[in-house]
Amino acid sequence: MVLSGPSESSIMSTPNVKSKAHSRPAPGSGVLDFIAIGLGPFNLSLACLAEPIRDLRGLFLERNEDFDWHPGMLIDDTTLQNPFLADLVSLADPKSPFSFLNYCKQEGKLYAYYIRERFYLSRAEYNRYCKWAIRQLSSIAFSSQVERVEYVERTAGDGGEGHYVVSGRHVRTGAPFVHRAARLVIGVGSVPQLPPCCEEAREHCIHSAHYVARKRELQKKRSIAVIGSGQSAAEIFYDLLKECDEHDYALTWITRSPRFFQMENTKLTLEMISPDYIDYFYNLPDNVREGIIARQDSLYKGVNASLINQIYDLLDDRRSRAGRGGSPARLITNSELTGCHYDRNEARFQLRFVQRDEGVQYTHATDGAIFATGYGQNVPGFIDGIRERIRWDDKGRYRLSRNYAIDVNERDIFVQNAGLYSHGLTNPDLGMSCYRNSCILRELTGEEHYKIERRIALQDFSVPDTDAFVKAPLETQ
Ligand SMILES: Cc1cc2nc3c(=O)[nH]c(=O)nc-3n(C[C@H](O)[C@H](O)[C@H](O)COP(=O)(O)OP(=O)(O)OC[C@H]3O[C@@H](n4cnc5c(N)ncnc54)[C@H](O)[C@@H]3O)c2cc1C
């Protein structure tokens, strides 16, 4: 890939590009082919896959000064939920120099990795791998906070099709910047979400996204409540449980879920993380998709089985030691948080719950609380200037085309990780990043640079299209 800035002048011609959808901006016009906003794993994967494509001119803008993957949850010994093949590039191009295996080779770790047989990378190692990949990319501008995007109707330089003006500020120096591009790829991730009842006490509530930075402060309290029961909640509970006696706090883990359930990862279920399932899901009516997502908690919201077992073992060890000191730990299910009051004088939370089966309302007083209550869609303020170019659903979410575009022409503005309700549970999964980025690159260049798998599942998600399955109501047969 060619970088990039608006001052760029010597850009080569673009042979082999057969884009029907959008003509490419003229080289030297100062209009890039695309600007990607945000540099999490999804846009980083795009940057790595775009890098070898000749003459594709892109720029990646990230507001942070460096890459750090969910630093608030970089807890010791936590791992990715996907095997290492779900790295930034391998599922699109196993020969890519940006693969995890090449990282191991270049860093002298390949034999150690081979001997350890650790297919699930630690989160810290994945973070180091991403930073290594970034050091080889020329297309990234850190400390670049995007504040506004506007659309400019056709100019001579942009192929006569109009372009986007992306402006913002350097976060440290405050210096303004302006870049122009024919297309956008928005990869700004999601935003930490607290239950609505926490609004009044918001400034005292710690979300799991900030756990590592606030851990020491939490551990000074005499009691801590962990709210939620997804993977993050479980990792935090386990981390706090291990150090419970050393710091002498009482620990309580409370969830709305009816049980501390396991994230399902049997093979036929994993087939739902596939192009086949995206096609099936995408073509269902809106209300049916909503219903499906509401019933799929165990596929992406649960806790991995080994962590549940570790927690159980540790709790049981502590129970065996009971009577020899040690602070209590409690686990409570079925309890929905309905109120959250912070008493400044007492420096305590009064958390109100309803036990959903019994209908019993109760209050739990705790000095510290950590809310592992998930993330919501991030619709950044900078798109206000192009709001009317975007397709929205009736809930104020982007309405994605099958090719991940959200603009009215279905060819200009692409999004990462914003399609839970259109593309299903594949949306936040690192394992589908290469697939999505291969599709986006095909749209950006008009060519399928990376072979896109269409069918990988052994099962049929819709009624099979063969004579053996007659599609007709029973009474007409
Ligand atoms: C703790 C945790 C662990 C996870 N583990 C896994 C896992 O093991 N496997 C899996 O499949 N999924 C996992 N996920 C889910 C998902 O894959 C990750 O959340 C992933 O980081 C999402 O990547 P992203 O690129 O969408 O966003 P993010 O990683 O959130 O990155 C978005 C970036 O955009 C930048 N940005 C935002 N606004 C602007 C702006 N205006 N200007 C410039 N930059 C901006 C932000 O600074 C940020 O760096 C995990 C999620 C969490 C929270």
Side-chain angles (χ1 to χ4, degrees):
M1 189 169 63
V2 181
L3 180 77
S4 84
S7 57
E8 181 188 37
S9 55
S10 58
I11 292 165
M12 287 174 279
S13 63
T14 55
N16 303 325
V17 174
K18 304 184 288 268
S19 177
K20 291 184 206 107
H22 198 305
S23 50
R24 304 271 301 270
S29 63
V31 181
L32 299 165
D33 288 310
F34 73 97
I35 288 176
I37 304 172
L39 194 76
F42 292 132
N43 265 347
L44 177 55
S45 158
L46 179 69
C48 293
L49 292 171
E51 184 78 3
I53 301 180
R54 269 189 70 219
D55 306 330
L56 180 63
R57 294 160 305 158
L59 175 64
F60 291 76
L61 300 173
E62 165 58 49
R63 66 183 171 196
N64 290 335
E65 292 186 20
D66 194 1
F67 181 91
D68 239 345
W69 188 52
H70 298 305
M73 282 300 293
L74 277 182
I75 301 172
D76 291 346
D77 302 326
T78 52
T79 66
L80 250 65
Q81 304 307 309
N82 322 57
F84 73 94
L85 271 178
D87 67 9
L88 297 166
V89 289
S90 291
L91 289 166
D93 179 10
K95 303 185 299 307
S96 167
F98 296 100
S99 70
F100 176 73
L101 290 182
N102 192 39
Y103 156 75
C104 289
K105 183 75 184 170
Q106 301 308 322
E107 299 286 299
K109 300 177 180 178
L110 192 55
Y111 277 94
Y113 190 68
Y114 161 67
I115 291 166
R116 277 185 81 165
E117 287 189 19
R118 193 176 180 187
F119 288 166
Y120 290 81
L121 304 186
S122 77
R123 230 180 258 155
E125 184 69 354
Y126 181 73
N127 200 38
R128 284 193 288 274
Y129 155 62
C130 290
K131 285 172 185 274
W132 166 86
I134 287 167
R135 287 199 291 277
Q136 284 147 93
L137 293 168
S138 53
S139 51
I140 291 164
F142 281 110
S143 301
S144 303
Q145 163 96 37
V146 172
E147 292 173 344
R148 187 150 186 84
V149 179
E150 277 162 342
Y151 182 73
V152 176
E153 294 293 342
R154 62 194 63 184
T155 62
D158 62 20
E161 300 220 33
H163 67 265
Y164 295 90
V165 181
V166 177
S167 56
R169 230 152 256 289
H170 190 280
V171 285
R172 236 177 327 110
T173 64
F177 62 77
V178 179
H179 301 288
R180 295 167 190 275
R183 322 261 188 106
L184 302 174
V185 185
I186 300 176
V188 293
S190 43
V191 281
Q193 219 167 29
L194 291 170
C197 63
C198 292
E199 200 45 49
E200 172 215 312
R202 171 168 281 276
E203 63 181 296
H204 302 284
C205 297
I206 303 175
H207 190 272
S208 55
H210 308 117
Y211 170 66
V212 169
R214 309 284 297 272
K215 179 178 164 183
R216 294 288 162 244
E217 174 194 335
L218 268 175
Q219 288 186 312
K220 291 188 182 132
K221 315 273 184 192
R222 298 302 311 278
S223 51
I224 307 172
V226 180
I227 313 297
S229 61
Q231 182 69 19
S232 292
E235 287 173 2
I236 290 171
F237 179 76
Y238 187 54
D239 194 50
L240 290 172
L241 186 64
K242 283 191 285 188
E243 297 171 22
C244 203
D245 296 338
E246 184 187 328
H247 294 272
D248 195 24
Y249 45 77
L251 192 57
T252 308
W253 187 10
I254 309 183
T255 178
R256 180 176 58 181
S257 301
R259 61 205 158 84
F260 294 95
F261 58 84
Q262 174 189 347
M263 200 154 15
E264 264 185 77
N265 60 358
T266 48
K267 292 185 188 352
L268 288 173
T269 297
L270 285 182
E271 276 203 329
M272 292 167 79
I273 317 251
S274 63
D276 319 45
Y277 190 74
I278 299 176
D279 282 333
Y280 165 71
F281 187 83
Y282 186 84
N283 289 313
L284 294 169
D286 286 3
N287 62 329
V288 176
R289 289 198 303 249
E290 300 250 351
I292 292 176
I293 291 294
R295 293 191 303 273
Q296 282 183 338
D297 277 14
S298 64
L299 305 191
Y300 66 105
K301 279 191 178 167
V303 182
N304 71 42
S306 61
L307 180 56
I308 293 179
N309 294 340
Q310 283 173 301
I311 290 172
Y312 185 87
D313 292 351
L314 184 52
L315 285 167
D316 190 42
D317 287 347
R318 295 180 84 254
R319 181 168 52 185
S320 310
R321 283 188 274 116
R324 281 188 271 143
S327 327
R330 258 186 203 288
L331 282 68
I332 306 169
T333 56
N334 260 318
S335 291
E336 180 165 3
L337 186 71
T338 55
C340 173
H341 171 70
Y342 186 77
D343 184 332
R344 286 164 194 269
N345 299 327
E346 300 275 326
R348 296 204 99 189
F349 285 94
Q350 299 289 335
L351 301 177
R352 282 194 294 282
F353 294 92
V354 57
Q355 209 288 4
R356 303 211 305 174
D357 287 345
E358 298 169 321
V360 175
Q361 299 186 25
Y362 67 95
T363 302
H364 173 60
T366 178
D367 296 341
I370 175 119
F371 296 83
T373 42
Y375 294 78
Q377 185 170 327
N378 181 6
V379 177
F382 63 69
I383 57 147
D384 282 353
I386 50 169
R387 209 157 245 287
E388 74 292 349
R389 293 189 63 79
I390 292 174
R391 299 199 308 158
W392 302 94
D393 71 11
D394 55 12
K395 299 225 163 69
R397 301 184 291 236
Y398 303 132
R399 183 175 285 285
L400 275 70
S401 307
R402 177 61 182 83
N403 66 359
Y404 304 99
I406 53 167
D407 61 289
V408 288
N409 299 317
E410 304 183 50
R411 61 176 199 180
D412 278 5
I413 309 171
F414 299 88
V415 284
Q416 305 272 16
N417 193 7
L420 182 63
Y421 291 94
S422 53
H423 291 66
L425 72 161
T426 56
N427 169 71
D429 195 287
L430 295 178
M432 287 303 280
S433 172
C434 284
Y435 169 80
R436 182 164 58 217
N437 283 324
S438 299
C439 296
I440 292 177
L441 280 168
R442 181 189 56 196
E443 301 300 313
L444 293 177
T445 63
E447 260 189 67
E448 193 169 307
H449 286 273
Y450 298 100
K451 184 174 158 46
I452 296 172
E453 282 81 1
R454 265 86 183 166
R455 294 279 164 267
I456 64 118
L458 298 171
Q459 63 196 289
D460 292 292
F461 295 111
S462 309
V463 181
D465 224 355
T466 75
D467 294 346
F469 303 91
V470 182
K471 290 183 201 166
L474 286 180
E475 61 274 18
T476 64
Q477 288 179 35

